[in-house]
Amino acid sequence: MSAGYESDAFADRYDSDEPDEPVPGQERTFAAMPPAQGRGFAESWWGRAWLKALEDTALDGQQLKKGRRFAREGRVGAVSVRPGRITAVVRDRDESGYRSDVLLQELTAEQWDRFLDMAVDRAGHIAALLDREMPPHLVEDAAAAGVDLLPGIGDLDPECACEAWDHCPHTAALCYQVARLLDQDPFVLLLMRGRGERRLLDELQARIAARAAGHAPSDTAAEPAEESEGRPVRGVLAAEAFAAEGILPPLPPAPALPDAPGAAPSLDTETDPEPGVDPTALEMLATDGAARAHRMLAEALSPGHAQQPVPAALTPEQDAVRLAADARPEPWIANRLATGSGRQRAGLPAAVRAWQYGGAAALAVLDEEWTPDATALARARTRLSGAWEEDEGPRLRAERNRWTSADGTVQLRYGRDGRWYPYRKESGRWTPAGPSDEDPAAAWADAAAPADV
């Protein structure tokens, strides 16, 4: 059969062997994987257990070797996983394509009830699965509850269009490829056993909620609350955890910094948004979130980051100004941000400029007028008197933390951080004119420079 066969004709030939239409969420399809040159097919212990079930079952080792070569050469197409069955088209060396299936017995409803009850009692198992791990304790506890998750000898039942009665190179190649999928996500195995990830988590959540309410779901065989409360909680001895430290794998390397933030999804769809939801504003927030995450990751990966103090959280009013400064929003969104910052629309540009020059500290200098104590005031006057040669300094009028030029066009503001912030009057408003400086003369030079410089 040519690898370029028509899918409809192929489906007609094998429709009679197909199970019923899968429940939504109960089938996953994985794209064909690239060749696996120079690496094993399973790195996780549960992936190796899957291959052991295959290799202990197959009668002809040469067929397995040939199937391993097929998988290594990338001859396995997209893999479909559903309860009780995995399917793929595997190409021979002559490019003939064969539909290959491997069947695995699904767990019964009663077995799933026992597994779910066990998982609810041991929250660490759920956390491990969500981290795409399958700890040995989970498999051991499931087995103690009468549920075998991993396949054993004879559990992987092959069906192939080549009509071999045992595992052939095609079904073997499929199993080797699935071992790679299992390495990445043990939920693949649970789906083969009858429960997809979403359904499994929904059922666990229902049991947890019912347990918290003091009763079991009506459709499960869970024990009464008073009985479950009396069970001992399964844990790990501290000595065991400490002893395992030396055999645990090393932490993964730090993530590499992407070249740029990820692109925000487009919300321009044919579906009308819910009342009060603005897709354009949501897209702006998503773009801003990606940019902030990228910046935070860059900071986290920089040398000495662990010794840096944790920055203070922004207030909603400060964050509205930050958004207006960073996102450059449409005018109508800027109007909403001005309201959120507690300002009139005309006052937002000065706040944005302050933020761009110095963040939250510069924004506080824009908004606050305060009286320095005697020590801070003496320090400020000393800096001012030493900033210029005698008779070369500007004539200044002092009021609280602000020193203004005699003509009322330039101003220095003394911040609580001991730095000087330059301001100039534009269109009747005091506007930040540059970044802060410890030297008042340098800050004055920024304030006195022409506005277009």
Side-chain angles (χ1 to χ4, degrees):
M1 181 183 296
S2 169
Y5 56 78
E6 293 293 331
S7 59
D8 289 343
F10 187 89
D12 288 342
R13 181 176 176 182
Y14 291 98
D15 269 349
S16 60
D17 295 329
E18 279 293 301
D20 294 337
E21 187 70 19
V23 177
Q26 289 287 93
E27 179 175 10
R28 295 175 64 183
T29 301
F30 299 86
M33 289 185 172
Q37 301 292 345
R39 67 179 297 277
F41 283 96
E43 298 178 354
S44 64
W45 73 269
W46 58 91
R48 291 193 293 271
W50 166 271
L51 290 183
K52 186 176 187 303
L54 166 70
E55 292 164 355
D56 288 349
T57 299
L59 301 178
D60 189 342
Q62 293 302 315
Q63 299 284 60
L64 292 186
K65 289 182 180 180
K66 190 173 180 181
R68 191 161 51 242
R69 285 198 301 271
F70 280 5
R72 197 173 291 282
E73 293 169 1
R75 296 185 173 278
V76 181
V79 177
S80 172
V81 182
R82 65 177 67 180
R85 180 183 296 261
I86 54 176
T87 305
V89 173
V90 181
R91 291 180 290 109
D92 257 337
R93 291 286 176 83
D94 63 0
E95 297 303 318
S96 298
Y98 295 89
R99 170 176 168 153
S100 300
D101 294 74
V102 175
L103 281 59
L104 178 64
Q105 183 67 45
E106 296 182 53
L107 300 180
T108 65
E110 181 183 358
Q111 287 174 315
W112 275 114
D113 281 340
R114 293 201 297 268
F115 175 82
L116 293 167
D117 286 341
M118 177 275 298
V120 168
D121 287 339
R122 296 159 178 79
H125 292 340
I126 304 173
L129 284 173
L130 292 176
D131 284 338
R132 294 324 191 240
E133 295 285 336
M134 182 177 285
H137 285 314
L138 185 153
V139 176
E140 293 167 2
D141 290 343
V147 179
D148 291 325
L149 292 180
L150 291 168
I153 297 176
D155 287 347
L156 300 180
D157 189 15
E159 290 183 358
C160 186
C162 74
E163 299 182 352
W165 61 272
D166 187 30
H167 276 287
C168 62
H170 313 109
T171 58
L174 173 58
C175 286
Y176 279 109
Q177 201 75 310
V178 168
R180 298 173 68 183
L181 299 179
L182 290 173
D183 269 358
Q184 300 169 13
D185 188 354
F187 276 107
V188 171
L189 176 62
L190 295 175
L191 176 54
M192 281 187 267
R193 286 299 197 185
R195 292 289 192 275
E197 178 177 357
R198 183 69 267 158
R199 179 179 176 184
L200 180 61
L201 295 179
D202 287 346
E203 292 182 356
L204 284 169
Q205 185 176 13
R207 274 174 164 74
I208 292 170
R211 181 79 53 91
H215 59 81
S218 59
D219 59 344
T220 69
E223 297 175 0
E226 58 270 18
E227 293 182 21
S228 63
E229 290 172 359
R231 298 184 203 158
V233 177
R234 173 72 178 268
V236 178
L237 294 174
E240 293 180 10
F242 183 79
E245 180 183 12
I247 62 173
L248 293 176
L251 292 174
L257 180 67
D259 294 335
S266 173
L267 301 179
D268 183 14
T269 66
E270 297 179 358
T271 303
D272 293 333
E274 293 292 324
V277 176
D278 189 324
T280 304
L282 282 179
E283 287 185 12
M284 185 198 75
L285 290 174
T287 300
D288 174 72
R292 293 184 69 192
H294 186 268
R295 184 167 59 250
M296 292 170 69
L297 179 58
E299 293 170 355
L301 296 176
S302 63
H305 174 73
Q307 283 70 47
Q308 298 299 316
V310 178
L314 299 181
T315 65
E317 292 77 14
Q318 291 172 327
D319 200 46
V321 175
R322 182 198 64 78
L323 270 171
D326 293 349
R328 304 180 184 276
E330 298 290 335
W332 60 272
I333 297 181
N335 289 338
R336 295 176 61 181
L337 291 174
T339 301
S341 70
R343 307 167 195 276
Q344 299 295 324
R345 177 69 180 88
L348 185 60
V352 166
R353 191 178 298 184
W355 185 273
Q356 291 170 336
Y357 282 135
L363 189 60
V365 171
L366 171 71
D367 293 336
E368 299 174 1
E369 186 174 356
W370 61 287
T371 301
D373 59 30
T375 302
L377 188 59
R379 186 183 303 115
R381 287 173 174 168
T382 299
R383 288 185 177 179
L384 280 171
S385 62
W388 292 275
E389 296 294 336
E390 188 175 353
D391 299 329
E392 291 184 358
R395 294 178 57 194
L396 300 175
R397 182 178 69 256
E399 184 177 0
R400 304 187 75 182
N401 70 317
R402 300 177 181 184
W403 280 260
T404 309
S405 64
D407 63 2
T409 60
V410 179
Q411 188 177 85
L412 289 179
R413 297 189 179 185
Y414 188 63
R416 295 181 186 272
D417 55 2
R419 298 177 66 85
W420 297 90
Y421 291 78
Y423 275 73
R424 73 168 64 93
K425 186 164 283 188
E426 297 178 2
S427 303
R429 291 178 177 271
W430 285 113
T431 304
S436 65
D437 203 296
E438 292 184 352
D439 180 5
W444 183 267
D446 284 339
D452 58 347
V453 172

